[in-house]
Amino acid sequence: MCRFLRHCVTLKEYAPDATGWALAPGLTAPPPGPGEHTEELRARGLPPALLSAARLAGLALLVKCCISAPRWGAAAAALYWLQPVAVLTPVRGLRPAGLARDTAARPLRSLTTALRTLATPAAVPPEPADRADRRAAYTGELAAGTERFLEPRRTDCPWCSAPDLTVRVRMPDLLQGKPGRFTLEECRRCGHVFQNPRLTPEGLDFYYRDFYEGLGGEGAALVLGRMSGTYRDRAALLRPFTTPRAWLDVGTAAGHFCNAARTVWPETRFDGLDMGEGVHEAARRGWITTAYQGQFPDLADRLAGRYDTVSMHHYLEHTRDPFAELDAAVKVLAPGGHLLIELPDPESRTGRLLGPYWLPWFQPQHQHLMPVGNLKQALAARGFTLLAEQHGAAHQGNGDFLAAVALLANRLAPDPQAPWATVPDTPARRAARRTVQTAAVPCYAAAFALDALGTVAARATDGGNAYRLLARKALG
C-alpha cells in the first residue's frame, strides 16, 4: 500500500488534471502487516506518532462526552462511527467491499491502530546507507563548529545605513534543530529587520541542506502542495490591470505556484527560477515551461526584457541583498511590466507576541524582513508605480499558533535520529520526543482555534502576518 501511494503521488504530480481514482467492485485489500500503517502515513508526509496521539485524544474525548453529556456525546459518537458510510454512500456510486463490516469495527480498529503506531517507532530499523552517509558528512562539518558560518557583525542598517540598532529576537534553529544560534536586529530609524551577524554562503548551504530537498523534500512538498487557494489569489491580483503573457516566478522551488496560477491564466507562459534542483523537476512535470537554476542577479542580463510579469513570493527575505534582486527585476521586466511581491510582515503584532516562536522569523534562512513602507520606497526609487497593496488578503492562514506549538515541541525534544543531531540516539530520547509530541496534542487544538480567530481578524482589519504589493515598471 505504501508503494502504491508513492506511485499515485508521482502520477498526480506529472498529470495533476488527468490523474484520478477508481474503485474496483469486489476488490479487497489484504490485512496490513506490522508497521504498515506507520509507513503509509510517512509516505503521505504525515507524522505517525502525532496523528496517533491525536486519534487517541479524540477517542478519549468522545468517551468523556458520552459520560458527562450522554445525549450530545451519543450523537457525536454516532457521527464518528458512521462516517465511512456517510462518505462512501451508494448514492454516490461507491460500493467498496466490506463497508458495513469495517464501519462496525471502526472504534476498535482506530484504537488498536493508534496504539500499534505509537509503539512502532520504539524499534529502530537499520540506518539506510544514504542516511548513514549524511550523518558522517554532518558530523565532519560540525566538528569544526558553527561560528565559522557567520560573518562579522555589522554596526549599521543594511537598508538605510543608520547605526541605531537593537536586538529584535534571538533563537536557535527551531526548524530542523541544527546547531547554532541566530540574532535578528532591528533598525530604530527605518524598522528594517535583518540577521546580524548574517550567514556566509557556506553557512546558508549548510542550513538549507535537507530542508526543501533531500530528507526534508517530502515534507516541504506536502506544505507547498496545500496552498493552491493562496497561489490562485496571488495570480488573480493582476486581473484588473493586465493580461500576463510571459511570467517569471523567482524562487519558484518546485513550481507549485505556477501550476496553480495556470488555472487563472491558462494562456500565460510560466517560467521558473530557483537555486535548487527542484526547478528542473518542475519543468519535467510541465508545471513551468523553462527552468533557470542560479542566482537571479547573475541571470538578469541574460533574461533582460523577456517578461511582462515577475513574481517574488516569500523570496526576498531569503536573499543576501534585496536591492540587487529588485534591480534584477527591473532588468528582466519589459517596459510597463508588472512586479508582484509577497513578504512576511515584520510589523505583525503576532510576531511580537510569539517572539522566537513566530514562524515567519524562519531562522536561519530569512536574512531580511522589510516593513511595507521601506519596500514601497525602494520600488518607487526604481521607477515603479504601486497598483495594489494587500495585508489581510495576504495573511498566511497556515497557523501562527500551530507553528509556535510545533517549534516549541521540537525545541523541547529535538529529533535524536536526525543526521545532524549532537545528542546520542537512545530509546529514552526517542520516548521523550514521542511524549512531548503527545502532550502537545491539546495545545494544537487550542492553537487551531486561535489561528482561525486570527485569520478572521486579519481579514476584517486588513492586518496579518504578510503583505502583497503589485507594481508597474515605467514605460520609458
Side-chain angles (χ1 to χ4, degrees):
M1 186 64 178
C2 178
R3 184 177 299 175
F4 172 73
L5 284 170
R6 291 184 184 275
H7 286 317
C8 287
V9 169
T10 301
L11 285 172
K12 189 68 173 174
E13 289 172 346
Y14 278 84
D17 299 324
T19 301
W21 295 90
L23 293 178
L27 186 65
T28 59
E36 184 172 332
H37 181 68
T38 299
E39 291 307 314
E40 182 179 321
L41 290 174
R42 285 177 178 151
R44 299 181 186 183
L46 303 174
L50 181 59
L51 291 180
S52 296
R55 179 178 288 181
L56 288 175
L59 290 172
L61 183 61
L62 278 178
V63 173
K64 182 179 182 298
C65 288
C66 289
I67 295 173
S68 59
R71 290 185 179 180
W72 290 107
L79 288 173
Y80 165 78
W81 203 323
L82 298 175
Q83 188 181 48
V85 173
V87 174
L88 301 173
T89 172
V91 174
R92 300 184 182 180
L94 303 176
R95 298 178 178 84
L99 177 60
R101 180 189 67 244
D102 290 342
T103 300
R106 189 177 190 226
L108 180 60
R109 178 172 292 181
S110 294
L111 178 62
T112 56
T113 300
L115 291 173
R116 187 169 61 245
T117 303
L118 279 175
T120 299
V124 183
E127 189 171 48
D130 62 335
R131 185 178 284 265
D133 292 341
R134 290 178 195 271
R135 184 181 296 277
Y138 276 112
T139 300
E141 287 191 88
L142 290 172
T146 58
E147 291 298 320
R148 62 195 175 92
F149 290 141
L150 294 172
E151 297 179 348
R153 179 186 175 274
R154 65 180 298 160
T155 58
D156 64 338
C157 173
W159 194 270
C160 71
S161 300
D164 195 6
L165 306 178
T166 183
V167 173
R168 180 70 181 267
V169 65
R170 287 191 175 98
M171 69 188 76
D173 177 2
L174 299 175
L175 301 169
Q176 291 179 293
K178 291 179 177 179
R181 290 192 64 83
F182 312 96
T183 301
L184 289 172
E185 297 197 32
E186 182 176 3
C187 175
R188 285 194 176 97
R189 177 188 292 179
C190 72
H192 184 72
V193 178
F194 64 103
Q195 188 184 78
N196 195 23
R198 71 175 179 176
L199 287 170
T200 64
E202 294 76 19
L204 287 169
D205 177 71
F206 176 81
Y207 287 103
Y208 269 85
R209 196 179 312 155
D210 288 313
F211 192 91
Y212 298 101
E213 298 172 355
L215 293 179
E218 286 190 5
L222 181 71
V223 173
L224 295 173
R226 292 185 173 182
M227 297 176 59
S228 295
T230 299
Y231 299 148
R232 288 191 290 268
D233 289 344
R234 292 170 181 170
L237 187 58
L238 276 75
R239 272 185 173 146
F241 307 104
T242 187
T243 298
R245 297 301 178 191
W247 188 316
L248 178 65
D249 186 41
V250 181
T252 196
H256 290 83
F257 164 75
C258 296
N259 186 48
R262 286 187 307 168
T263 63
V264 180
W265 304 105
E267 302 301 320
T268 301
R269 172 193 172 102
F270 286 95
D271 295 340
L273 186 151
D274 202 89
M275 284 290 295
E277 293 288 339
V279 68
H280 296 297
E281 180 64 16
R284 286 190 289 269
R285 293 173 185 170
W287 293 7
I288 60 176
T289 302
T290 303
Y292 301 102
Q293 185 177 9
Q295 298 278 4
F296 187 35
D298 295 341
L299 297 170
D301 289 336
R302 172 184 169 191
L303 304 176
R306 290 193 188 181
Y307 293 94
D308 57 43
T309 307
V310 169
S311 56
M312 299 175 172
H313 302 127
H314 293 270
Y315 165 79
L316 267 184
E317 64 269 33
H318 289 264
T319 63
R320 288 171 59 81
D321 185 355
F323 290 141
E325 305 291 334
L326 295 176
D327 292 338
V330 174
K331 287 183 181 180
V332 169
L333 280 169
H338 294 77
L339 176 61
L340 176 60
I341 298 176
E342 182 173 301
L343 288 168
D345 189 350
E347 298 175 301
S348 167
R349 294 179 180 178
T350 310
R352 294 194 179 276
L353 175 66
L354 295 177
Y357 300 102
W358 188 53
L359 181 64
W361 294 135
F362 222 71
Q363 290 303 288
Q365 294 188 23
H366 285 180
Q367 307 287 288
H368 298 274
L369 292 103
M370 292 74 75
V372 65
N374 288 7
L375 186 56
K376 288 194 290 187
Q377 290 176 3
L379 291 173
R382 286 160 177 79
F384 284 97
T385 300
L386 185 67
L387 301 179
E389 177 179 346
Q390 293 183 338
H391 290 261
H395 176 75
Q396 298 286 293
N398 50 2
D400 284 338
F401 290 95
L402 278 170
V405 173
L407 292 176
L408 178 57
N410 198 42
R411 184 174 189 175
L412 292 174
D415 184 3
Q417 295 180 287
W420 49 81
T422 57
V423 296
D425 178 15
T426 64
R429 291 190 183 277
R430 294 194 298 273
R433 181 170 173 82
R434 291 197 302 277
T435 300
V436 169
Q437 290 176 334
T438 303
V441 170
C443 300
Y444 281 114
F448 181 83
L450 288 172
D451 282 326
L453 291 174
T455 298
V456 172
R459 302 286 192 262
T461 63
D462 198 31
N465 55 21
Y467 63 86
R468 281 182 205 133
L469 297 180
L470 178 63
R472 180 188 291 131
K473 179 182 171 180
L475 290 172

